[in-house]
Amino acid sequence: MNVANVIKRARRGDALNIVFFGGSLTWGANASDPNVTSWRALTMRRLCEMYPQARFSAKDSAIGGTGSTLGVFRLERDVFKYSPDLVLLDFTLNDNLGGSEEGINDIKNHSYERIIRECIARKVAVLPVFLTAKRHTAAEDISVFKRRLEHIQLFEKYQLEYADVLGVMNRKFLSGSLDLDALWPPELGDVTHPHDIGYAAYTEAFFEEWQRIENSAEKIPVLPADFISGTKYSNTLRVDLHKYDIPGWKTDYPCVVSDCYDWLSSRWLDKVITQRISAGSAAVPLTFKLRAARAAAMIETYPDSVSFSVSVNGGAPQPVKTRSVLRSQLHFVMLADNLNEDDESVITVIPDTPEKESVLRFGALLLNSSKDITFEL
């Protein structure tokens, strides 16, 4: 399955499921109505106009402030569950568009490549999209953005088409035909997320790329035997903690109220484990054993969330910031990195002793490794 095949099926009038998988620009932050005026919404409207016989269904699977390192753990629950025919993939900006400390071999590229590989292996068309912030659009030379170039290298190896919204809008800006202050109004004080005019500009640029793809020779995606970015983190495991009976913790539903819809925990977690801690009281730690290279977590935070520390193999606890100023918020936090994959590690989450009644809520553990992963509570 590729984009050309999706276009053929759309012309034929087939039913097509499209999943928008990315960050806040895909969701539509700063749009006056994200379900109407965002790039995501405008794209679906345009597709319905272009292919009136097709029966489109769209799914918003975008979480603001997150990238591929969380996205790779969301594939089953938030993408493949909807039987997509096309995945529009936007993580390049949140993966640090400008570059990476370790180049092609860092974990963000591993995770991004894993998402691409999973889509191709399941015969799901995937179209990476380079969305853009104000400063990137105004750049004199976009070739300095290393992550973009690294992702293009991946596309070449996998023979994937991609929609370079950044490239199209950058050329328009340099030619003098794009007023960036109209797209990113200074009154909003946000140079990352545009307003409605900006999302409309995204959409125009996207369909210029869509038209280019439609008029080009068809590319047939391939699946290389090995990861282009190496295999350090080629294995992943998501552990939903509510499926375990953990002494001192109870199972609860995630919060259904949030200041930001894309951070609404109930959209991304089925259930959580929780512990309410009285003022001055010690809480019950969460201890687990694993063989993996790194361990992260999806947690739910409130203004009254207690902070916690993490001890690895009995070492000195290292603090992790968790408190939210919002009513509730989904957080992706690192617990331990650079673990020895050949030996079992013991990770202990130690809640702080709060000065007032507080809460701690964990959703899922997210484990990476180049070898087989083991997990035990």
Side-chain angles (χ1 to χ4, degrees):
M1 178 74 78
N2 58 10
V3 177
N5 182 263
V6 170
I7 292 172
K8 292 174 186 176
R9 293 181 59 195
R11 289 173 176 164
R12 195 167 61 213
D14 288 1
L16 292 165
N17 298 329
I18 298 179
V19 173
F20 289 81
F21 194 36
S24 54
L25 292 175
T26 289
W27 174 67
N30 280 359
S32 61
D33 185 343
N35 287 326
V36 178
T37 60
S38 66
W39 166 73
R40 172 174 50 86
L42 294 173
T43 293
M44 287 311 304
R45 185 184 307 166
R46 182 76 67 89
L47 287 172
C48 290
E49 292 170 353
M50 292 173 65
Y51 311 105
Q53 301 303 316
R55 291 159 289 150
F56 288 109
S57 175
K59 179 61 182 176
D60 164 26
S61 288
I63 306 179
T66 69
S68 298
T69 51
L70 175 59
V72 72
F73 290 96
R74 299 201 294 119
L75 279 169
E76 291 295 338
R77 186 187 184 282
D78 302 331
V79 177
F80 295 135
K81 181 174 72 175
Y82 301 104
S83 301
D85 298 286
L86 173 64
V87 174
L88 296 177
L89 177 63
D90 149 45
F91 281 130
T92 305
L93 185 64
N94 280 2
D95 281 353
N96 182 12
L97 177 67
S100 55
E101 294 180 2
E102 300 174 54
I104 197 70
N105 290 311
D106 79 7
I107 188 170
K108 293 177 181 177
N109 281 341
H110 282 286
S111 299
Y112 190 86
E113 185 176 2
R114 175 67 179 271
I115 292 169
I116 288 172
R117 290 181 68 90
E118 288 289 335
C119 288
I120 295 174
R122 295 174 186 242
K123 302 187 185 307
V124 173
V126 56
L127 179 60
V129 183
F130 292 158
L131 297 181
T132 178
K134 186 176 184 178
R135 70 180 182 89
H136 301 114
T137 309
E140 293 184 4
D141 180 7
I142 61 175
S143 69
V144 301
F145 301 138
K146 295 180 181 179
R147 184 77 65 186
R148 175 179 177 274
L149 297 181
E150 290 167 358
H151 284 182
I152 290 174
Q153 290 175 26
L154 290 178
F155 307 154
E156 291 172 349
K157 297 293 185 181
Y158 285 84
Q159 295 187 29
L160 280 183
E161 294 283 8
Y162 64 97
D164 189 5
V165 170
L166 164 60
V168 172
M169 290 179 63
N170 174 254
R171 289 193 294 273
K172 290 181 178 181
F173 169 75
L174 294 177
S175 71
S177 63
L178 210 58
D179 178 2
L180 299 192
D181 283 344
L183 278 56
W184 285 270
E187 296 87 347
L188 293 179
D190 189 336
V191 294
T192 298
H193 308 100
H195 195 41
D196 294 352
I197 296 176
Y199 282 120
Y202 282 5
T203 306
E204 289 303 317
F206 175 79
F207 278 100
E208 286 186 31
E209 289 289 88
W210 185 272
Q211 193 71 48
R212 176 188 58 76
I213 294 169
E214 190 172 21
N215 295 334
S216 300
E218 181 177 351
K219 286 187 176 181
I220 306 299
V222 299
L223 191 62
D226 297 317
F227 278 64
I228 306 304
S229 56
T231 56
K232 184 178 180 182
Y233 296 112
S234 55
N235 293 330
T236 59
L237 176 66
R238 171 172 170 159
V239 179
D240 289 299
L241 291 168
H242 69 86
K243 297 179 180 179
Y244 295 81
D245 183 15
I246 305 175
W249 296 74
K250 71 174 186 177
T251 299
D252 197 359
Y253 288 99
C255 188
V256 294
V257 179
S258 177
D259 293 294
C260 295
Y261 181 70
D262 53 336
W263 287 342
L264 185 61
S265 301
S266 58
R267 298 186 66 211
W268 314 114
L269 298 169
D270 297 316
K271 290 188 177 179
V272 298
I273 61 167
T274 182
Q275 190 175 169
R276 184 157 287 280
I277 309 163
S278 301
S281 299
V284 178
L286 174 66
T287 298
F288 54 94
K289 302 176 183 178
L290 57 80
R291 279 189 174 87
R294 69 199 304 262
M298 295 173 73
I299 67 173
E300 185 182 77
T301 62
Y302 292 79
D304 65 344
S305 290
V306 67
S307 298
F308 63 87
S309 298
V310 174
S311 171
V312 179
N313 296 325
Q318 301 298 315
V320 177
K321 181 181 179 182
T322 60
R323 189 170 290 108
S324 173
V325 298
L326 304 178
R327 283 179 288 179
S328 73
Q329 181 178 346
L330 184 78
H331 272 293
F332 171 56
V333 297
M334 181 58 58
L335 303 179
D337 203 356
N338 297 315
L339 300 172
N340 187 338
E341 300 174 283
D342 295 318
D343 294 332
E344 185 176 74
S345 297
V346 179
I347 310 296
T348 303
V349 175
I350 307 167
D352 295 348
T353 300
E355 296 180 356
K356 60 181 181 179
E357 185 177 9
S358 301
V359 67
L360 189 58
R361 298 167 70 86
F362 267 69
L365 298 176
L366 312 173
L367 311 180
N368 295 85
S369 185
S370 64
K371 300 180 180 180
D372 291 339
I373 298 172
T374 65
F375 172 82
E376 179 184 351
L377 275 169

